[in-house]
């Protein structure tokens, strides 16, 4: 037996042979970067954009990201400009924003925008958020509403008629990060940095007619360095607040409209009911993962082991008609809902549970299984097609079933 | 103090400072990243990205504590992001473990040095990512549990339990390997 101390020593003293050619070439690359004139340093490709767009939970933030990207990409603070207006004024007045309503229209999608309502506290921190996601963002789920309040996130998927309540630091951090990035005062530092980079060219038009908005056109000078190549900002001359932002992508030498983000109701108090989902229909299935431990604890099992154990216990619970346990393993579905879905089926025995396979797009594992059931007097074998399991949001030591069983 | 001076010089474009930082920390960072990612080639890429970020942005970061801790955290974050993008879990059979080698022309030059550690690598590839991360960052990178907990956005207690689970699991796997 190797004692733990030996294992620790083994890990601690482990060496890797380094290929000196690779190491030298890498250092040369760094030196070249260091010695490049600062203005021509490439901007790292914003992988975060791709990550956001891939992630179902964060797709709603496309609008927010766009705004941030706009702000990040622009060298506004060129004091040599003859315009009397400076973006600093917009940043400054944005410090006092407590309430904000945002609509984001994607040019390639339907006319239904993503809508977002944000309330900031007195210190300027995000307090409450509501996001209405149109169906085009997740055709499978349809329209949904996300509310974030008191560090809890609630997701109401209307078509599937369920409400999930989560308290996950990761989700909360994502949400806060995205919303905070909408806040011009937080973006000010980034704008100052962008000024040094010289990544974009900025033109400011300040019409004599004070009823017309100031128009700021920012064009990226770095090919493929940003998710879009041009942004046009419209600023209210009286308040200096942003009215809207249009973004464009360069396709075949032409700037093609990509999205429009509109800002409404600055500092008009938002009804507190907007930040709750208490008034949703009674028949909505509620899964509150903040008040109960759902799924199974992983302990020292591997991911595959816990996945198989989870499915086995779920099926066994159905065999024993223990709907409370089955529901707890299945994301916290209420027992009565489980009974409604499965009460008329007699689960006889588990035939097989196969080796789990990863489903990276869902951050889940698929666990094939076969169970013998009796339904309407007929005995058959049932092979759920989408029996997926994954880590519970906010309870990373636990795993839950997230779908694939009919009737839920 | 040396690190602060190096960063100060790097901010002013000192090639010598860059070389010194690189020589001082690069190999250790590759070792940590390789442990997290089970692949030396990917680990080298991750570390190179972190150094590029340092070169581009050193002047924007205020490194108050220590440069090594800062670089290690950057490597751990990048490795975690890569891991998330690649696959949500890390359980693979021992036979499927990708050898921890670079894709270089002379694989014998860049393989894991000793056989014992190859076994550890294989075993670590079977650990859930958070457990592996806690083990490597504590033992190899000498990070404190509360620092790892902050990085994992969890409590120190959870990180400690991940570490213990990971270590026990490694021990159990390696012992069973020996017994075969």
């Amino acid at each position: 037996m190797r004692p733990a101390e030996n294992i620790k020593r083994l890990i601690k003293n482990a060496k890797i042979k380094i290929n000196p050619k690779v190491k030298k070439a890498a250092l040369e690359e760094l030196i070249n970067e260091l010695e490049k004139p600062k203005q021509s340093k490439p901007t790292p490709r914003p992988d975060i954009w791709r990550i956001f767009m891939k992630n179902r939970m964060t797709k709603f933030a496309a609008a927010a990201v766009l705004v941030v990207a706009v702000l990040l990409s622009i060298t506004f603070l060129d004091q040599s400009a003859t315009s009397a207006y400076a973006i600093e004024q917009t940043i400054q007045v944005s410090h006092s924003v407590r309430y904000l309503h945002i609509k984001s229209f994607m040019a390639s999608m339907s006319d239904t925008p993503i809508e977002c309502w944000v309330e900031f506290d007195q210190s300027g921190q995000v307090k409450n958020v509501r996001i209405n996601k149109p169906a085009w963002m997740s055709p499978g789920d349809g329209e949904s509403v996300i509310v974030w309040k008191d560090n809890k996130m609630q997701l109401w998927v209307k078509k599937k008629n369920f409400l999930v309540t989560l308290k996950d630091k990761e989700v909360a951090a994502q949400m806060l990060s995205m919303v905070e990035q909408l806040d011009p005062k937080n973006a000010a530092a980034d704008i100052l940095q962008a000024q040094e980079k010289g990544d974009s060219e900025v033109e400011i038009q300040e019409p004599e007619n004070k009823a017309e908005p100031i128009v700021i056109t920012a064009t990226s000078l770095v090919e493929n360095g940003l998710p879009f190549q041009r942004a046009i900002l419209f600023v209210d001359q009286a308040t200096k607040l942003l009215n809207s932002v249009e973004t464009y992508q360069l396709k075949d030498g032409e700037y093609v409209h990509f999205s429009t983000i509109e800002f409404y109701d600055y500092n008009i108090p938002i009804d507190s009911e907007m930040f709750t989902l208490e008034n949703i229909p009674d028949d909505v299935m509620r899964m509150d993962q903040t008040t109960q431990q759902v799924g199974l604890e992983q302990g020292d099992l591997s991911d595959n082991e816990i996945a198989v154990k989870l499915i086995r216990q779920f099926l066994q619970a159905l065999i024993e008609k223990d709907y409370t346990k089955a529901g707890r393993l299945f994301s916290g579905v209420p027992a009565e809902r489980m009974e409604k879905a499965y009460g008329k089926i007699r689960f006889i025995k588990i035939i097989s549970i196969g080796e789990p396979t990863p489903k990276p797009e869902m951050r889940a594992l698929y666990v094939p299984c076969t169970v013998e059931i009796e339904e309407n007097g007929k005995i058959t074998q049932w092979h759920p097609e989408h029996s997926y399991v994954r880590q519970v949001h906010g309870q990373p030591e636990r795993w839950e079933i997230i779908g694939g069983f009919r009737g839920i | 103090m040396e690190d602060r001076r190096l960063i100060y010089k790097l901010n002013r474009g000192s090639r010598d400072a860059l070389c010194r930082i690189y020589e001082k920390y690069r190999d250790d960072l590759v070792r940590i990243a390789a442990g997290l990612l089970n692949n030396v080639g990917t680990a080298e890429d991750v570390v190179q990205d972190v150094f590029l970020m340092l070169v581009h942005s050193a002047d924007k970061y205020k490194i108050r504590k220590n440069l090594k801790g800062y670089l290690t955290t950057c490597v751990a974050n990048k490795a975690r992001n890569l891991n998330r993008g690649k696959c949500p879990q890390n359980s693979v059979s021992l036979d499927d473990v990708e050898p921890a080698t670079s894709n270089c022309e002379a694989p014998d030059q860049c393989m894991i040095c000793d056989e014992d550690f190859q076994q550890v690598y294989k075993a670590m590839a079977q650990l859930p990512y958070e457990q592996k991360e806690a083990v490597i960052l504590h033992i190899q990178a000498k990070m404190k549990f509360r620092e790892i907990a902050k990085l994992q956005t969890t409590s120190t207690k959870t990180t400690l339990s991940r570490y213990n689970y990971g270590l026990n699991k490694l021990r159990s796997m390696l012992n069973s390997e020996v017994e075969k």
Side-chain angles (χ1 to χ4, degrees):
Chain A
M1 287 287 283
R2 299 181 196 203
E5 285 307 314
N6 284 357
I7 306 281
K8 281 192 222 172
R9 199 173 305 123
L10 202 57
I11 297 170
K12 192 175 176 179
N13 297 331
K15 299 283 180 209
I16 290 173
K17 279 186 186 170
I18 300 293
N19 183 336
K21 285 182 188 171
V22 172
K23 187 176 174 181
K24 192 180 170 198
L27 178 60
E28 280 169 7
E29 185 194 8
L30 294 174
I31 291 170
N32 286 339
E33 284 299 318
L34 182 72
E35 293 179 349
K36 268 185 191 172
K38 215 168 186 179
Q39 292 295 317
S40 63
K41 279 180 186 174
T43 308
R45 187 179 292 277
D47 288 348
I48 190 79
W49 175 255
R50 196 172 64 242
I51 293 163
F52 276 173
M53 294 309 287
K54 276 186 175 177
N55 188 334
R56 285 178 62 205
M57 292 295 287
T58 55
K59 270 184 179 173
F60 66 81
V65 176
L66 278 173
V67 172
V68 177
V70 169
L71 294 172
L72 284 172
S73 67
I74 296 166
T75 310
F76 278 121
L77 301 176
D78 183 359
Q79 298 299 330
S80 64
T82 54
S83 169
Y85 167 80
I87 191 68
E88 286 159 315
Q89 292 170 275
T90 295
I91 295 166
Q92 194 177 353
V93 295
S94 299
H95 273 272
S96 61
V97 173
R98 291 280 307 279
Y99 301 95
L100 192 56
H101 177 193
I102 303 157
K103 291 184 187 180
S104 176
F105 299 84
M106 308 298 276
S108 58
M109 297 298 172
S110 76
D111 291 338
T112 314
I114 305 161
E115 283 195 270
C116 179
W117 292 261
V118 190
E119 180 180 352
F120 301 90
D121 66 17
Q122 286 184 331
S123 62
Q125 302 299 307
V126 176
K127 191 177 171 189
N128 300 316
V129 181
R130 179 192 180 101
I131 295 158
N132 285 5
K133 285 173 62 181
W136 57 260
M137 290 190 75
S138 308
D141 287 347
E143 281 180 36
S144 58
V145 180
I146 294 171
V147 164
W148 188 83
K149 187 181 182 184
D150 299 330
N151 287 322
K152 279 187 189 177
M153 192 188 93
Q154 291 190 299
L155 168 67
W156 174 28
V157 180
K158 296 180 181 178
K159 187 168 128 186
K160 295 186 175 175
N161 204 32
F162 71 78
L163 171 77
V164 187
T165 305
L166 306 167
K167 195 169 188 174
D168 179 19
K169 283 182 182 172
E170 194 182 321
V171 172
Q174 278 182 0
M175 172 83 79
L176 279 175
S177 166
M178 288 181 290
V179 176
E180 282 174 356
Q181 287 176 67
L182 276 170
D183 186 349
K185 64 179 178 289
N186 287 337
D190 296 329
I191 292 171
L192 288 170
Q193 285 180 4
Q195 182 189 27
E196 294 175 359
K197 286 185 183 173
D199 283 350
S200 47
E201 192 175 70
V202 176
E203 184 191 331
I204 299 177
Q205 293 174 334
E206 196 172 351
E208 286 184 8
N209 181 351
K210 299 295 177 192
E212 291 179 17
I214 297 162
V215 180
I216 304 164
T217 305
T219 306
S220 175
L221 300 175
V222 183
E223 191 180 355
N224 294 327
L226 297 163
F228 55 85
Q229 281 75 38
R230 175 170 284 177
I232 303 178
L233 284 72
F234 299 88
V235 178
D236 186 284
Q237 286 213 52
T239 64
K240 303 294 187 287
L241 290 164
L242 275 176
N243 281 344
S244 63
V245 176
E246 290 177 0
T247 64
Y248 295 81
Q249 288 182 321
L250 195 57
K251 281 185 184 166
D252 303 324
E254 287 189 4
Y255 288 101
V256 180
H257 184 211
F258 179 69
S259 71
T260 299
I261 303 146
E262 297 174 351
F263 302 90
Y264 295 93
D265 305 336
Y266 278 104
N267 282 330
I268 294 177
I270 299 169
D271 191 330
S272 60
E273 290 217 347
M274 283 294 283
F275 301 117
T276 70
L277 289 174
E278 285 168 9
N279 298 325
I280 61 173
D282 290 341
D283 67 340
V284 172
M285 178 173 66
R286 289 161 168 81
M287 293 178 282
D288 190 342
Q289 299 190 352
T290 64
T291 55
Q292 61 175 330
Q293 284 199 315
V294 302
L296 272 186
E297 188 172 336
Q298 182 167 16
D300 63 349
L301 298 179
S302 70
D303 292 356
N304 280 10
E305 287 167 345
I306 187 65
V308 169
K309 184 178 176 182
L310 188 53
I311 292 293
R312 185 177 300 284
Q313 288 206 7
F314 175 71
L315 295 174
Q316 193 59 40
L318 291 179
I319 289 169
E320 292 164 8
K321 296 194 178 293
D322 184 348
Y323 300 115
T324 303
K325 182 176 180 182
R328 196 173 63 240
L329 298 175
F330 198 141
S331 303
V333 173
E336 59 271 21
R337 185 75 171 231
M338 291 299 300
E339 188 169 6
K340 190 178 171 190
Y342 293 116
K344 291 178 182 171
I345 302 169
R346 186 167 73 90
F347 286 78
I348 302 167
K349 64 179 177 186
I350 299 168
I351 306 287
S352 67
I353 298 177
E355 196 64 19
T357 51
K359 289 282 168 190
E361 69 279 12
M362 300 174 70
R363 299 178 69 177
L365 292 176
Y366 165 62
V367 187
C369 59
T370 305
V371 59
E372 189 174 278
I373 61 170
E374 182 182 347
E375 191 174 17
N376 301 323
K378 189 180 171 187
I379 293 177
T380 55
Q381 286 193 354
W382 178 41
H383 315 274
E385 283 182 25
H386 306 289
S387 40
Y388 297 126
V389 304
R390 72 177 172 203
Q391 284 176 306
V392 180
H393 280 299
Q395 300 175 36
E397 296 298 323
R398 302 185 74 82
W399 283 65
E400 63 179 338
I401 296 171
I402 56 164
F405 293 93
R406 60 185 174 180
I408 301 293
Chain B
M1 282 304 287
E2 192 208 5
D3 284 352
R4 285 192 183 182
R5 202 165 53 246
L6 289 172
I7 285 292
Y8 177 83
K9 286 184 176 178
L10 180 64
N11 288 346
R12 280 148 189 80
S14 165
R15 181 181 181 152
D16 289 346
L18 174 62
C19 294
R20 173 72 187 128
I21 294 170
Y22 187 79
E23 285 301 328
K24 196 173 173 185
Y25 295 122
R26 192 259 186 189
D27 293 354
D28 276 351
L29 293 171
V30 170
R31 191 167 64 112
I32 291 164
L36 293 170
L37 295 162
N38 310 314
N39 183 295
V40 176
T42 312
E44 286 171 336
D45 289 346
V46 162
V47 171
Q48 185 70 1
D49 280 351
V50 169
F51 273 108
L52 277 169
M53 190 178 72
L54 183 73
V55 166
H56 287 147
S57 319
D59 54 333
K60 296 184 182 68
Y61 293 100
K62 290 179 182 171
I63 299 163
R64 292 188 180 87
K65 288 185 180 173
N66 66 79
L67 179 57
K68 188 182 179 186
Y70 170 79
L71 293 171
T72 305
T73 305
C74 291
V75 166
N77 285 337
K78 274 194 172 286
R80 193 173 328 106
N81 288 340
L82 257 185
N83 183 65
R84 279 180 188 148
K86 187 178 169 186
C87 176
Q89 41 68 52
N90 307 298
S91 295
V92 284
S93 74
L94 284 174
D95 294 338
D96 292 338
V97 174
E98 196 173 349
T101 57
S102 252
N103 295 323
C104 57
E105 288 175 3
D108 57 326
Q109 289 186 330
C110 47
M111 281 174 67
I112 304 301
C113 277
D114 62 57
E115 202 175 314
D116 269 356
F117 193 62
Q118 284 196 17
Q119 283 184 11
V120 175
Y121 251 96
K122 281 189 170 186
M124 279 199 294
Q126 292 198 108
L127 294 182
Y129 189 82
E130 288 82 2
Q131 292 177 14
K132 178 167 64 177
E133 190 178 53
V135 169
I136 288 173
L137 293 182
H138 183 66
I139 296 177
Q140 283 192 341
K142 296 174 187 162
M143 283 174 75
K144 292 175 182 163
F145 287 118
R146 66 177 158 76
E147 293 171 329
I148 302 169
K150 191 178 172 190
L151 200 140
Q152 293 187 330
T153 58
T154 186
S155 67
T156 306
K157 197 177 163 189
T158 304
T159 296
L160 189 60
S161 109
R162 286 174 178 170
Y163 171 81
N164 285 328
Y165 276 132
L167 208 58
N168 286 338
K169 181 106 189 179
L170 277 178
R171 193 178 162 213
S172 146
M173 283 188 283
L174 290 169
N175 284 330
S176 65
E177 278 291 294
V178 170
E179 285 159 12
K180 274 179 187 172

